[in-house]
Amino acid sequence: MPRPKPDEIIRHQIVFGEADRKILQSYNDSYMLSNMTGNLVKLLNDVSGVATVLAILSATGVLGAKFVFNVSPKALAQGAGDLVIAEFRQQYRAAVQERQTTREVAQERGSSVVGGLENLIEQALAPIFAITGGIDMPEIRRPGQ
């Protein structure tokens, strides 16, 4: 049997006060944080996830030195997270040392016009070298050498 069409519409509205909004906002924030950290923990439980996170950190240079993190197949095959972290630390220390050496060489070369040009060229080509794995630049012979 068909129902008759309603002749009036009643609208119900729930209005939260300021205190209720704060409670719901804090619940929403904690729920989002719980989801994000839960996924991060799941990622870091796997050795390949740890290697991926460390590779992203090294590629972005967040830790102070950009480098390409190469994980040995031995560490991935054994599933040993401590080996992966040890390799990362070793490569990070080497990258920091290389960065310091590069900075010292750049400062030394910066005292001459030719050295300053070398520094400019290296900085301009650095993104290309990072992608291609680097190209050794020939030394420019200065007069009197």
Side-chain angles (χ1 to χ4, degrees), residues 26-93:
S26 64
Y27 172 76
N28 187 27
D29 293 344
S30 65
Y31 183 74
M32 271 192 339
L33 183 65
S34 173
N35 282 343
M36 290 188 326
T37 55
N39 291 333
L40 182 64
V41 168
K42 286 178 189 174
L43 176 68
L44 294 179
N45 279 336
D46 186 28
V47 175
S48 60
V50 171
T52 302
V53 169
L54 293 177
I56 291 170
L57 286 175
S58 65
T60 58
V62 171
L63 301 175
K66 284 186 180 183
F67 62 100
V68 177
F69 177 51
N70 296 318
V71 183
S72 68
K74 176 183 173 187
L76 288 177
Q78 289 181 355
D82 56 340
L83 285 177
V84 172
I85 292 172
E87 289 177 358
F88 178 79
R89 286 182 181 161
Q90 179 184 6
Q91 292 178 25
Y92 174 71
R93 286 186 192 119

Side-chain angles (χ1 to χ4, degrees), residues 105 109 114 118 122 136-142 145:
V105 169
R109 287 192 306 197
V114 175
E118 283 179 328
E122 282 185 9
D136 290 333
M137 290 186 61
E139 285 291 320
I140 298 175
R141 294 190 162 241
R142 295 181 181 86
Q145 283 187 342

Side-chain angles (χ1 to χ4, degrees), residues 1-5:
M1 174 174 225
R3 293 182 164 205
K5 191 173 183 182

Side-chain angles (χ1 to χ4, degrees), residues 105-119 142 145:
V105 169
Q107 287 175 348
E108 183 182 306
R109 287 192 306 197
S111 61
S112 69
V113 174
V114 175
L117 289 174
E118 283 179 328
N119 288 343
R142 295 181 181 86
Q145 283 187 342

